[in-house]
Amino acid sequence: MAEDSIKRLYVQNVDDWLMDLSTKRFSDEELGIQVLERGIILPARRQIDKTWKGGVCDNDFNFVAGYSRKKNNAGGFASVLSSYIVDKSELIQLDEDVIFGGALIGHFGHFMLECLHRLWYVLQHPELHAKILFILTEHGGYKPWFDEFFRLMGIDLERIVYVNQPTQYRSITIPEQAYNSNRFMKEFFIPYQTIKSRITPAAPKKLYLTRLGFEFKKHGNVHCFNEQYFEDFFAARGFKVVSMEKLALEEQISLIMGADEIAAIMGTLTHWALFCKPNAKFITLLRTHDLMQLQTLVTEATPHVEYHIVDTSKNFLLANRSTGVCLLGSTKYWKEFVADYFGEQIDENDDAPYFGDALDKYLSFWCKKYVRPDNLNTLIGSLQDMCNRIITLEQEKIKRRPLLTYQTHVDKLGWGAWISEEQISNPVDQKRDIQAVKINFAQPFHDVFYSVYYNETEGWSQEVSNGSQAGTTGLKKSIFGIKIRLDDSGANEFDILYRVHTFDGMWSPWAKNGELLYAHEVKLNAIQIKLQSK
């Protein structure tokens, strides 16, 4: 990530991110090749620890090459680190010289980032015509987009072989890996540069890459809820909403190459930064508070891209970034980012119209995934953690702020119960017009002052304070507006925000600190008030 005066990180665990972003993974070491005479290629076989056996071995089945996700063959997800023995009578014998292309992962993001790391040799030597052999590992084996990537690199698909039987060749050329999750070399960039040189950038300048149209598997995908809020937010600011998986690969890359600004939820979609043009801006929305090391590697590999990483996680239950159930939303980090990037002031609950439905779906899906007899400890631990966080938040809230309460007098029903901050004064669907209001602080904190608006003839009522009545009762006299302010000491600590719901079914924008808020000739049937610490 470039060092400049622009703020890049809007995250909870900022120290962890800064430390990882400062870790340098680029290596200028020279890569070489190995030529193995009478080499054998074995299809990959999965092991219990999620590593694989297979790859290239010698005539005695001694392991030579496969795939290591970590430095010095330390293993990791999808790694191929050892061979296995088969009866030599079962070997297919081919008198050919071939090139080992590596192990392919049938997950789009992992493939795009991790599986092209031996092809630098093929692309640097266009005079070669030998077949390129691959073995298949995670996520269901062969995917049609493997061939699309090779085609866009200019590789003749007749050269591509997906090995499904143990086969011995006259010789196997093995280029070194240009990448693992700990480091990358200059050759790592060659496949991406080659593809970009063959594609024309598209016209749209702002993109939001959505997951909403993605068809999730029953198992194995992370499910994110409340993305609709972010999709609508960016669309309203001129971003073209794109479901990448519904487009041809060449069109996807063309869109990325042409865009000046891109926003997406952290994961596969943010790996597209590898195809961004110089000075493009990439807004990355986090679905958990965790740092993602693969993405920080991409960040280092694309110093020409201006990153903004924003924590939008609202998870209050167990959240796994890769395979879990995640709840997104407007957070204090998102609010700060929007103010800096868009120059707009929003509330932390800006996503409120979306959140109720998203929360229902989140809880339902979370329970389906985790509420099982074999998962009892995980479930109990997550619920205990949630309860502890609720208790902590309530204690902090009590310490930091006064108790704000209010009640309204409505047509035919009279005075409602006193309610506390952020609650809605009465059901909006009943259409009972408000006739009077009382607002109070628990003493000895601060004073609150307020008045209500009647009509153009009578104007505003006299300002009252601290639980006194503003408005009338028994006169069937509706109010059409309200203004609320704190005393000077209160205003130094808090903003007081308020909005009204009207008979036409609309919520007004939030007003604050004594601003006039009135609906002219449309009756009010609900009020909502809250404090915001400064």
Side-chain angles (χ1 to χ4, degrees), residues 250-465:
E250 185 170 350
E251 187 177 357
Q252 296 179 55
I253 296 172
S254 175
L255 283 167
I256 299 297
M257 288 174 58
D260 294 329
E261 299 174 76
I262 303 172
I265 295 172
M266 172 77 82
T268 292
L269 293 174
T270 52
H271 293 351
W272 279 114
L274 292 164
F275 291 96
C276 279
K277 66 182 180 182
N279 300 316
K281 298 177 181 180
F282 210 115
I283 301 164
T284 298
L285 308 178
L286 303 186
R287 56 196 184 200
T288 67
H289 301 309
D290 305 329
L291 131 79
M292 185 177 178
Q293 291 183 326
L294 281 182
Q295 189 61 40
T296 56
L297 184 147
V298 173
T299 301
E300 182 183 347
T302 52
H304 58 283
V305 176
E306 179 184 304
Y307 284 91
H308 300 271
I309 299 173
V310 190
D311 190 338
T312 54
S313 168
K314 276 193 170 180
N315 296 299
F316 56 90
L317 295 168
L318 174 72
N320 182 297
R321 186 190 67 239
S322 300
T323 60
V325 184
C326 296
L327 183 63
L328 310 176
S330 180
T331 64
K332 63 181 181 180
Y333 309 105
W334 169 249
K335 176 184 175 182
E336 185 182 1
F337 165 74
V338 170
D340 288 350
Y341 191 91
F342 293 103
E344 299 179 29
Q345 298 297 322
I346 63 168
D347 187 80
E348 281 180 37
N349 294 321
D350 187 55
D351 61 345
Y354 301 81
F355 199 72
D357 181 60
L359 180 61
D360 289 344
K361 292 176 180 177
Y362 163 77
L363 290 171
S364 175
F365 202 91
W366 193 95
C367 289
K368 288 177 183 177
K369 184 174 181 68
Y370 291 110
V371 181
R372 306 189 307 266
D374 63 335
N375 212 28
L376 187 60
N377 289 336
T378 298
L379 175 63
I380 292 174
S382 185
L383 293 176
Q384 287 175 333
D385 179 62
M386 179 185 69
C387 291
N388 288 334
R389 280 189 284 169
I390 290 172
I391 291 170
T392 300
L393 288 171
E394 287 181 339
Q395 290 172 340
E396 290 178 354
K397 186 173 181 179
I398 290 170
K399 289 178 183 177
R400 289 201 311 260
R401 65 169 51 183
L403 177 63
L404 171 71
T405 57
Y406 50 101
Q407 68 173 164
T408 55
H409 185 282
V410 299
D411 180 43
K412 297 182 180 178
L413 296 180
W415 287 103
W418 283 94
I419 58 174
S420 58
E421 181 180 346
E422 297 195 41
Q423 291 184 291
I424 297 173
S425 62
N426 40 286
V428 296
D429 57 352
Q430 292 185 4
K431 290 196 174 181
R432 300 286 187 181
D433 53 303
I434 296 174
Q435 299 169 345
V437 178
K438 294 179 183 178
I439 307 172
N440 200 13
F441 270 113
Q443 296 300 324
F445 290 99
H446 306 292
D447 293 321
V448 57
F449 299 92
Y450 49 99
S451 64
V452 297
Y453 181 77
Y454 296 122
N455 50 54
E456 291 186 0
T457 302
E458 296 181 69
W460 291 91
S461 71
Q462 180 181 354
E463 188 176 63
V464 297
S465 65

Side-chain angles (χ1 to χ4, degrees), residues 515-532:
E515 293 177 345
L516 309 184
L517 179 60
Y518 50 93
H520 300 286
E521 297 179 358
V522 184
K523 294 180 180 180
L524 311 187
N525 65 335
I527 295 175
Q528 189 177 17
I529 310 173
K530 61 182 178 179
L531 296 175
Q532 196 168 77

Side-chain angles (χ1 to χ4, degrees), residues 54-75:
V56 182
C57 60
D58 64 18
N59 191 51
D60 295 320
F61 296 101
N62 297 307
F63 180 75
V64 176
Y67 172 49
S68 176
R69 282 189 100 230
K70 299 183 180 179
K71 193 174 182 179
N72 300 323
N73 293 326

Side-chain angles (χ1 to χ4, degrees), residues 214-225:
F214 187 71
E215 185 176 342
F216 291 99
K217 298 177 184 177
K218 185 175 181 181
H219 303 289
N221 288 116
V222 63
H223 287 70
C224 295
F225 294 94

